[in-house]
Amino acid sequence: MKLLHALPADDGFSMPAEFSPHRGCILIWPERKDSWAGGGYAARKAFTEVITAIARSEKVTVLASFEQYENARASLPPKIRVVEMSTDDAWARDITPTFVKNKEGVLRGIDWGFNAWGGLVDGLYFPWDRDNKAARKICDLMEIDCYDQRSFILEGGSIHSDGEGTLMVTESCLLSGGRNPKMSKEEITEHLCKTLGVKKVLWLPYGIYQDETNEHVDNICAFTSPGEVVLGWTDDESDPQYPMSRADLEYLSHETDAKGRPIKVHKLPLPSPIYVTEEDCAALDPMDGEPTRVPGDRLAASYVNFYIANGAIVMPAFGDKNDQKAAEILQTLFPTREIVPIYARDILVGGGNIHCITGQVPE
Ligand code: KQY
């Protein structure tokens, strides 16, 4: 692996869309006791379902710690590759490299700085150095070159690319005080264009209410094809999510993408609010003497946090009346892919969902 100090766009590299073909997918075996209830037992079951669903149409690699390697190996089908690697938790989306490609199909990784979603300002755990070092190790493992972007803090869940020059982010996340506070919105836009090879950045104002990542875009809005997105939506005007989704809709309806197309927005209903219970809290170890969750906290549940596999849409389900409706909408938008709903509350309690635990490797 060569470590590169140039800018990917200057080298002719750009970020493909998630709906383009994948060479594979990377996940991390969960075990952190302050993230995953009951020491991760239920989360590992849910992750295994996600992994198995993705593995029907792409090659899956699972990273596991020394302590959990044997368990992961024994729990997962033989065709899943299990690799021992140190990480601080299991959010592959945010700590694996962002992959970029050039016209000849050469693949390279970008290694962003990672500070656990806000560092000492409002980060979610400390330390995070194992996570911060994972992207470069993955590039090494894959025998691809790696762009050093550790001086710029960014997580994979905070960006969505349409593969045709447009990137989508949220202001609440990318302008948060714990990431790149010395950079203006214009400077961040320019840096994203130079690193991800895009021509236009769409800045949605908000994400999902109480999303502890400072509202990653991947929980509120996703490209389903160039020029088309799904947006997490509620019709309940008394829900604090309502003005947030409404502001995003207003923004998108007055915007065009990098190719000048108006953005077609498909509303994807949200599940009814899901709250942290006493049982959830009792099953979580406290972190640094502080509880990770408090009973009654609202979790950032959204169907938008789905993974686009080569042959399937692996979507979170919550046992909610809107599960079926969301699956039907996604089926119309992805007619060639099987919709695979997976009960994901045990992932949600960790603070993210299916998209957050996956990282696609483009073909
Ligand atoms: O949603 C994500 N991309 C990560 C969530 C991290 C939560 C840590 N408790």
Side-chain angles (χ1 to χ4, degrees):
M1 176 205 69
K2 253 196 320 231
L3 194 59
L4 308 168
H5 298 284
L7 290 162
D10 289 344
D11 292 345
F13 282 74
S14 61
M15 181 184 174
E18 189 173 326
F19 47 73
S20 299
H22 299 175
R23 178 193 293 191
C25 181
I26 304 170
L27 295 94
I28 305 168
W29 196 239
E31 64 173 297
R32 195 181 163 106
K33 294 181 174 62
D34 55 14
S35 286
W36 308 105
Y41 182 81
R44 288 193 284 274
K45 295 273 172 230
F47 272 54
T48 300
E49 278 187 59
V50 172
I51 291 164
T52 309
I54 297 172
R56 278 189 230 129
S57 62
E58 25 191 276
K59 187 170 166 47
V60 179
T61 299
V62 173
L63 311 178
S65 69
F66 169 79
E67 288 76 16
Q68 279 288 331
Y69 177 86
E70 297 294 348
N71 185 24
R73 183 62 286 167
S75 305
L76 296 170
K79 71 172 178 180
I80 309 295
R81 179 167 75 152
V82 182
V83 176
E84 186 187 320
M85 192 178 289
S86 311
T87 60
D88 293 294
D89 203 350
W91 305 103
R93 175 65 48 191
D94 295 338
I95 68 160
T96 56
T98 297
F99 294 99
V100 286
K101 257 171 86 167
N102 70 3
K103 284 207 173 65
E104 287 73 45
V106 176
L107 193 67
R108 289 179 178 168
I110 303 180
D111 175 19
W112 310 107
F114 177 81
N115 69 358
W117 309 277
L120 300 182
V121 175
D122 59 354
L124 299 176
Y125 48 67
F126 177 88
W128 52 76
D129 50 333
R130 290 184 175 86
D131 280 348
N132 194 28
K133 289 177 180 169
R136 214 169 277 190
K137 293 179 188 172
I138 292 165
C139 290
D140 218 344
L141 187 69
M142 293 176 60
E143 302 181 277
I144 61 170
D145 293 336
C146 178
Y147 287 101
D148 179 8
Q149 277 293 323
R150 278 203 192 154
S151 58
F152 184 71
I153 302 294
L154 191 87
E155 304 100 39
S158 70
I159 52 172
H160 259 314
S161 165
D162 73 349
E164 297 194 358
T166 314
L167 194 78
M168 213 164 35
V169 303
T170 61
E171 290 187 344
S172 39
C173 179
L174 269 78
L175 303 183
S176 62
R179 288 183 174 80
N180 302 289
K182 297 206 171 109
M183 291 175 81
S184 67
K185 183 173 171 181
E186 291 67 36
E187 287 168 333
I188 293 175
T189 301
E190 194 184 337
H191 196 67
L192 292 172
C193 290
K194 286 181 179 162
T195 46
L196 295 165
V198 295
K199 299 277 180 251
K200 180 160 186 177
V201 180
L202 296 174
W203 286 85
L204 275 65
Y206 303 110
I208 290 286
Y209 178 63
Q210 294 205 337
D211 184 327
E212 63 191 4
T213 63
N214 305 99
E215 303 167 23
H216 272 181
V217 74
D218 71 345
N219 217 13
I220 183 72
C221 197
F223 286 108
T224 55
S225 61
E228 298 199 28
V229 301
V230 280
L231 177 70
W233 187 259
T234 176
D235 285 320
D236 179 358
E237 295 188 19
S238 68
D239 187 327
Q241 181 63 45
Y242 181 82
M244 299 168 79
S245 291
R246 167 65 61 191
D248 290 339
L249 180 64
E250 284 291 313
Y251 172 79
L252 287 167
S253 47
H254 293 101
E255 272 298 341
T256 52
D257 66 13
K259 299 239 184 224
R261 292 173 287 226
I263 316 287
K264 187 161 183 194
V265 181
H266 304 273
K267 292 177 181 171
L268 196 61
L270 292 162
S272 303
I274 298 175
Y275 297 96
V276 175
T277 64
E278 298 276 357
E279 295 72 43
D280 293 328
C281 296
L284 287 165
D285 280 358
M287 173 174 68
D288 304 331
E290 294 287 325
T292 319
R293 306 256 170 261
V294 175
D297 277 356
R298 180 159 162 184
L299 292 161
S302 167
Y303 299 109
V304 175
N305 211 283
F306 55 83
Y307 177 73
I308 310 175
N310 284 338
I313 300 297
V314 187
M315 66 162 259
F318 304 101
D320 186 272
K321 62 174 173 28
N322 280 339
D323 287 4
Q324 179 66 27
K325 177 103 182 118
E328 284 166 12
I329 293 170
L330 291 175
Q331 187 67 84
T332 61
L333 297 170
F334 294 100
T336 62
R337 289 172 164 97
E338 182 193 0
I339 308 298
V340 184
I342 292 179
Y343 182 70
R345 192 182 186 285
D346 295 316
I347 304 175
L348 178 66
V349 170
N353 221 308
I354 292 174
H355 195 254
C356 310
I357 63 165
T358 52
Q360 75 276 3
V361 183
E363 188 60 78

